[in-house]
Amino acid sequence: MNNLIEIKFRLNGKETKVKVKPALLLIDMLRDELKLKGTKPGCLEGECGACTVIIDGDAINSCMYLAINADGKEVTTIEGLGSQDNPLELVQEKMLEHGAVQCGFCSSGVIMTIKAFSDKMKASGKTPTREELKKSLEGNLCRCTGYVKIIDAAEAVYDDQPS
Amino acid sequence: MCFFGGFAAEKNTPLFFLRPPEAASKRTSYFEHVPNSNKMKKELKYIGKAARKLDGKERVTGQAVYGHDIELPGMLHATILRTKYPCAEILSIDTSKAMALEGVECIITANDIDVNNISYKRDHPILKKGTVNCERDEIAAVAARTKEIADKAVQLIEVKYKVKQGIFDPFEALLESAPRINEFGKGQEQFGNKNIAEAFHYEHGDLETEKAKSKVIIKRRYTLPRVTHTCMATSNITAEYSNLNGRLTLWSSTQVPFLYQRDVAHALKMDPSKIRIIQPVIGGGFGSKLDMLPFEPICALLAMKSGKPVQLLYSREEEFIASPTRQAMVIDLTTGASENGKFTFREVDIITDNGAYTSWGATTPFVMMQTFSSLYQIPACKFVSRAVYTNNPFAGSFRGYGNPQATFSLERNIDVMAEELGMDKAEIRLLNANYKGEVTGQGLHYKSCGAAPALETVIEKSQYHKKARAPKKGRYRRGIGLASMLHVGGGAKIYRSDGCGTTLKLDDYGYLTIITGSNEIGQGSETVLAMIAMEELGIERDKIKVINSDTDVKPWDVGVHASRTSFVAGNSMLGAIKLLKEKLTKKASELLDVAACDFVYENGMMRFNEKEIKIDKVVREMHFTPPHELCEVNYFYEPPSQFQDKQFKGDVSASYAFASQAIEVEVDTATGVVHVLDAYVSQDVGRVLNPIGLQGQIEGGLATGIGYALTEEMIYEQGYLKNPNFHGYKLLTTTDMPGVHFYPIESGDEEGPYGAKGASEAPLIPTAAAIANAVANAIGVQFFSLPVTAEKVLLALKEKQKTILVH
């Protein structure tokens, strides 16, 4: 308990300081220490993608990432999307519009994966093909939807993108 | 104009058979047909139009509270110690070192508790003493300040075992020489064998006469694997007990809260009404939460003993090892057909691996026998099944409830039969298809029936004949396969009531609270109920609240299973709305000074000719002026289905669902990999309520069906699961999904809400059969077991090659 390490990072746009054990996983810091329960523990072994968050623009499994490695980085969780006035971002709107949510336990991770990928694509002015979108979501397991509507939602995020 | 009426009149005329198959149907969309139910004559504003999930925003923002997200003040965390051996005697349990660990608050073993056995056969002790019978057996449980401490503590519990040789093959367990596996089983008295947990026997028609009529008789053995639900949220429960009033609150993801309340009460020797079940948001069900399992009363006992709230969350590995599975089974199926292709009889003998204890899953033959007795017209059927105790983990219930297994065997046999007869595989199915008005040998009455239209649709839309006849050569070979299914679509009268209660509260501000007995497990029931309220009462969506998660509040319902919720809860909702409208009509008529009449409900108003009044004003007048009433009603809907008699005959569901799939695959003959290209799905859903929700059920079901066909299998060796993770147990991912082409058939069920019938289990039921049929079409290899893995395909191709070389 004595060897706590202080880390500083930006969490959902705010400077955050936390003292953590060196072995603490990012998902446990988010859920247990910071009470951000939107990041979901699906398998805790890097297989299901339910715990996906965005670090410096990359979608990562927070169950496979040590909290101390977030030091100095920009971390975005599902709670960091939207705003008080506009609670839903485009990805979330598209997920609802396309019926991509059933039980919803995978949804946070799916949304963060789509968000990270679409931010990168849009920054480089690209519109991915449906196959590329599928590939980008390969690490997110879902037992309810059969993925079709998730892929539809991911595709619709680029609807306003000039092709 | 009723589309199906003509078909019913021509039930004995094999029109489809005589017609060239390619010309079977020129229809483009079944949405265009006018449904035949009176309930559907009026123009509908919301029903049938895509609606977003009512409870969706919470789920896309991370604000929905699942069982894993609950934190109560002072809450402890629990871990279960499971057996080290699947079959052993327990000689001693020593918890002293674990108890001494700092942070441990409470440990229980079988010796510390006064409980009843669980499961419907009462053959399952919550905590085991004396013997352990399978890998998931619970020996002790720890509650500690943190999960880490609880995990560490169970490692410190010392258990001495005398290891015994287990029995992992049900056929071996049936031998006279086999030891008795479950000491509470009553197989000897009930079924003449100590290791039979449950058995069913069903017959109709004259089997011998039908056999004599048969030109071809096909007998095959089908072997079905054990697969599991893999809900994305693992099993979880949080328990709190008050010693002030003896009340227990369980935050549980059960699918059947009222049956569960009763089961927990029986297990803990409590009064059911002292137990409150609250369902947090549920991260997947699929049937896995139909049984109450040992971890649930264990968590309650820890809370009762420690005096603190306790939470128990499964790890993913534990979820694989210790949550329900689909039944592994061996089906011996013999079927006959006459010279012209009419089915004559079916004879079925099934051995199910029950595992060490009996869950509701042992009753899946209820559903399976329907498929054998009543899918397609069948003059005679004999069905025998035995669920046999083994030292494998016990199976549970899983979406489809035995029907994927039954349908796999039946639809494979039909393909083999067609080949033997030299008949077209589509034609033989159409010739024998069920029809509206049919009463089957088992007594199922098809008051609406989209069986033949569903078949015709997939045959046409998939270009079945063209693809089936295309030459098969080269490394990548394409094939197409057909399969159909029958499932209950209007609940199932198994429990003493198959009903659902609804309470409606319309408040002084025009907001409607729907308090429903039904459950939301992600399938979209809240949305459908809200759509019905919008349709009937003209109340806007933002003014509708659904309360459905607390047994202290909500009226009784049997639970979410058997694809029943839209049907039963929807009808209950319509019944309650009728009562609410009676109240509103009476008051509004007074206020508007008109004779009691049919008001039009729109945009928060009640309107009659030119007169109109705000609905909330009517409620206020009702409330604040004599005789002072609230605008609240209760209604209980019990479907008009029958209990089956002792011979399992009777019209057990208020409606039946039919579906067909045509699936196209591509087999890589170099690697053995089967790639599903396109799935054409047509299903008699009665009436489409929420197209986007329905489509989601179809695609999701299909994905589970494809996994069952090709990739999923729990691999056991000597009672130990060898692949308890997503790395070894392969779910489909985004890149594995085929193109999905869905064509709903709106047969307009007279009893269903707006004509709708149950839909959600159907899409996975025929999938594995259709895929295996497609693989046979592609490479000429017949698979009679699942999953059809790349390895099996390669081996089979090698065998086939050898045979060709030898000849």
Side-chain angles (χ1 to χ4, degrees), chain B residues 514-782:
Chain B
I514 302 166
I515 309 174
T516 171
S518 64
N519 310 279
E520 171 70 39
I521 58 169
Q523 84 280 39
S525 68
E526 292 185 3
T527 314
V528 164
L529 295 180
M531 289 168 77
I532 294 175
M534 289 159 72
E535 189 68 57
E536 299 296 328
L537 294 168
I539 295 175
E540 62 185 281
R541 186 179 151 111
D542 284 349
K543 291 187 173 176
I544 296 171
K545 306 174 226 183
V546 180
I547 307 250
N548 55 3
S549 59
D550 186 342
T551 53
D552 270 7
V553 176
K554 69 177 184 176
W556 194 89
D557 172 81
V558 79
V560 50
H561 75 115
S563 302
R564 67 186 281 284
T565 301
S566 285
F567 189 95
V568 181
N571 274 337
S572 181
M573 180 76 193
L574 284 169
I577 286 172
K578 188 163 176 270
L579 296 179
L580 198 79
K581 280 185 172 177
E582 283 171 14
K583 283 193 144 202
L584 288 164
T585 299
K586 190 162 165 269
K587 195 70 190 176
S589 306
E590 262 173 53
L591 294 168
L592 294 176
D593 197 22
V594 295
C597 55
D598 270 349
F599 282 93
V600 174
Y601 293 77
E602 228 169 25
N603 303 326
M605 307 290 287
M606 292 174 67
R607 203 176 64 238
F608 178 66
N609 293 338
E610 275 80 56
K611 292 189 172 185
E612 60 178 22
I613 186 167
K614 281 186 167 179
I615 199 165
D616 51 313
K617 182 167 171 57
V618 180
V619 178
R620 287 195 297 274
E621 292 296 326
M622 200 184 288
H623 184 179
F624 298 126
T625 63
H628 298 292
E629 272 189 280
L630 293 175
C631 196
E632 296 184 11
V633 295
N634 292 301
Y635 183 77
F636 187 74
Y637 173 75
E638 182 70 33
S641 42
Q642 300 168 354
F643 290 107
Q644 290 176 332
D645 61 19
K646 285 185 178 159
Q647 282 74 48
F648 302 108
K649 288 183 181 158
D651 196 18
V652 73
S653 183
S655 174
Y656 297 90
F658 303 86
S660 293
Q661 295 183 1
I663 298 188
E664 191 182 10
V665 302
E666 184 174 79
V667 183
D668 181 346
T669 55
T671 64
V673 171
V674 177
H675 186 209
V676 181
L677 300 173
D678 283 286
Y680 300 84
V681 179
S682 185
Q683 187 171 320
D684 173 9
V685 298
R687 170 75 182 234
V688 178
L689 298 176
N690 181 6
I692 202 167
L694 172 63
Q695 184 103 17
Q697 291 300 310
I698 300 298
E699 290 158 358
L702 193 69
T704 306
I706 297 171
Y708 189 51
L710 297 177
T711 62
E712 294 182 37
E713 182 172 19
M714 304 178 85
I715 298 162
Y716 281 90
E717 279 177 20
Q718 295 289 304
Y720 293 102
L721 180 62
K722 307 308 277 184
N723 56 338
N725 50 57
F726 286 129
H727 190 67
Y729 185 92
K730 292 289 186 194
L731 292 196
L732 300 197
T733 72
T734 43
T735 51
D736 301 313
M737 277 304 283
V740 182
H741 314 274
F742 175 48
Y743 312 96
I745 304 287
E746 299 199 289
S747 64
D749 192 82
E750 286 291 342
E751 181 63 23
Y754 305 96
K757 50 173 82 172
S760 293
E761 288 169 283
L764 74 79
I765 291 169
T767 307
I771 289 174
N773 287 344
V775 171
N777 179 242
I779 58 172
V781 175
Q782 306 286 348

Side-chain angles (χ1 to χ4, degrees), chain A residues 21 28 31-33 35-45 47-50 78-81 87-88 91-108 111 131 133-152, chain B residues 52-53 56-57 59-66 68-71 148 227-234 281-284 286 315-317 320 398-399 520-523 691-693 695-697 699-701 703-704 707 712 724-727 729 731-735 737-738 740:
Chain A
K21 288 187 207 169
D28 293 334
R31 286 181 55 84
D32 299 340
E33 317 265 322
K35 307 297 178 194
L36 294 172
K37 303 280 192 184
T39 299
K40 295 295 176 223
C43 70
L44 300 180
E45 42 196 35
E47 293 282 354
C48 80
I78 189 78
E79 290 88 352
L81 302 192
L88 301 185
V91 185
Q92 293 160 304
E93 282 285 354
K94 294 297 179 192
M95 288 283 285
L96 292 179
E97 187 187 324
H98 289 269
V101 181
Q102 287 186 33
C103 90
F105 203 79
C106 74
S107 298
S108 297
I111 289 164
E131 287 310 308
L133 284 168
K134 285 184 187 178
K135 197 76 195 158
S136 76
L137 279 158
E138 208 178 20
N140 291 83
L141 296 180
C142 169
R143 191 55 145 171
C144 295
T145 66
Y147 304 108
V148 179
K149 307 234 165 299
I150 291 175
I151 302 160
D152 289 347
Chain B
R52 287 186 183 201
K53 202 164 163 53
K57 284 184 186 172
R59 295 176 199 237
V60 296
T61 52
Q63 290 180 31
V65 178
Y66 297 81
H68 294 67
D69 306 328
I70 294 170
E71 282 190 3
E148 291 68 31
V227 293
T228 189
H229 310 70
T230 69
C231 299
M232 293 316 295
T234 55
V281 178
I282 295 172
F286 318 112
S315 68
R316 180 54 64 183
E317 183 184 30
F320 273 104
F398 192 166
R399 194 174 184 178
E520 171 70 39
I521 58 169
Q523 84 280 39
I692 202 167
Q695 184 103 17
Q697 291 300 310
E699 290 158 358
T704 306
E712 294 182 37
N725 50 57
F726 286 129
H727 190 67
Y729 185 92
L731 292 196
L732 300 197
T733 72
T734 43
T735 51
M737 277 304 283
V740 182

Side-chain angles (χ1 to χ4, degrees), chain B residues 490-511:
Chain B
K493 194 84 96 190
I494 304 294
Y495 191 68
R496 292 179 66 193
S497 165
D498 189 33
C500 173
T502 304
T503 297
L504 294 181
K505 284 172 61 176
L506 191 56
D507 73 13
D508 295 343
Y509 314 102
Y511 280 64

